Amino acid sequence: MKRMTLTAACLAAAFGIAGCKIVKTAPADDKSPSADASGDDARIATILSDTYDAKLLPEIAAKALPPIDLKAKLAAGLDTAGGQRGAGDGAAWNFAVAGQGKVVAANLTSRARTLDVDVDGDAKSDLTVQLGPVVKGSALRDFAPALYDFTSFRDQIEFAKLGRALNDRAAGAIKLAEGDPTGKMVTFMGVIALRKATDAWLLTPTVVEVAP
Amino acid sequence: MNFKRRLLLSTFALAMAGALPSLANAADTIAIITPSHDNPFFKAEADGAAAKAKELGYETMVLVHDDDANKQSELFDSAIAAGVKAIILDNAGADASVAAVQKAKDAGIPSFLIDREITASGVAVSQIVSNNYQGAQLGAEEFVKLMGEKGDFAELLGKESDTNAGIRSKGYHDVIDQYPDMKMLAQQTANWSQTEAYTVMESMLQANPSIKGVISGNDTMAMGAYAALEAAGRTDVIVVGFDGSNDVRDSIAKGGIKATVLQPAFAQAQLAVTQADAFLKTGKTGVEEKQLMDCVLVNGDNAAKLETFALKD
């Protein structure tokens, strides 16, 4: 039920009522999933279907910067680079990135498959694109705290399930052609989480397309 | 005994404050309630909170609930009766603690939770917890790497009433279970306890001599498990813990336990006091109730920089 409130709040935001706050309300009918862990999967599935395509992807697309631009902003300071912090002052900053680059290395044998991508033409890797099925971090969730507000979740476990579900959804949409992509061009969009401005870039992608 | 002495001290402090009205503000008291200081993690937390409270001009009333929700409830009664201005709490159970925090709120005393969550929001003013899921994933990724992505292992779970036990286990399994060649042969709770972990590890090892690794929900259990492995001549078994204690740091330096995950306990406790101070002065903290602080992997590369639950840069 609180998800419906969240949806309503987001719809309201979409219609131009700025600064609205998500407020928890008691369930109004018997159909809402159980508040304990047994209802988590049903609730998370609802959140995902309500938000992933309709809100999260457009938000990432709207805020995504080319890697070169983000690099320049980060050089001036992590706090001022326009990132979105997850829940609280101890959380990482999250940045949406979109661009193109050349695959300089591919690890397709691990369960955590990755592509190393060069975006500035120096033949060195600038970012690592995660392909799953093991996806590290919770960048997609933490990029949109207004959409996914920790306080409105029962506990870390429910909140973690959302992070995992978002990662699975993103990784599940990745289609790679057979063969070694090394040397090919790749178009990508997604979110990186940084704790320090100098951290290596690990992208949780919402788009990965390797040119044939 | 300890508790009574501290209570007496606090009462004395309050009496002093009453006698010297001009200093009344300086003697406002903040209660700091945590599990037993036998675990250095909770001691660091209490020390961090107390240091920040003193720095901001508060008296402190430091209490331990020994993970007993009934005792915690009594401590809340004492704190409320003593007229503390705020309570910093590392609680004795996610469900069982809601009532105690609500009781304080009803008495007009705000609570600021650290380390562990409660299962209700809107009762405490702040809940600042380590990002245990993120931390557990870091620990599990290191564990999987050290195991070469395959092999038999065992897991030591924390106390069931603590959300952190469940979340860490989930973080571990969300990573490890995606490696089909990693096989968990045993999984048992040792209730965060070093001595219990020693006994549990002994019996796990007897029943499953093929295990190559042990992933533990915290550092004190990791220490107990490693001691049992050492006693059995099985120092080849890879042990990974969680917390970032000095004990595990020293074990890593000696090639014993392989890795742990640092929770910024000291900083977290200090942040809670800072938010309590802001709330007492302005009526708000300026941040959301529930906050996550990221954890950091500690292994042979950076263990030397670890001291009392903080990494030196």
Side-chain angles (χ1 to χ4, degrees), chain B residues 197-213:
Chain B
Y198 188 96
T199 331
V200 169
M201 190 70 244
E202 274 184 323
S203 57
M204 275 179 166
L205 196 59
Q206 263 169 9
N208 309 283
S210 67
I211 56 170
K212 280 173 53 191

Side-chain angles (χ1 to χ4, degrees), chain A residues 21 24 87-88 90-92 110-111 133-134 136-137 149-151 153-157 159-161 164 195, chain B residues 117 121 129-130 132-134 137 141 149 164 166-167 170 174 178-180 288-294:
Chain A
K21 175 131 178 79
K24 271 179 76 167
S110 168
R111 294 283 298 161
V134 180
K136 296 175 183 176
D149 168 24
F150 181 31
T151 301
F153 285 76
R154 184 191 66 249
D155 57 23
Q156 291 180 68
I157 297 178
F159 198 46
K161 285 178 180 170
R164 171 72 192 274
R195 282 165 195 98
Chain B
E117 293 165 83
S121 50
V129 296
S130 298
N132 287 282
Y133 183 77
Q134 170 259 350
Q137 290 199 308
E141 283 157 12
E149 301 196 359
N164 288 345
I167 186 74
K170 173 155 178 59
D174 269 3
Q178 300 194 61
Y179 293 86
E288 285 281 335
E289 174 186 337
K290 290 178 80 165
Q291 305 157 52
L292 288 173
M293 290 182 85
D294 280 344

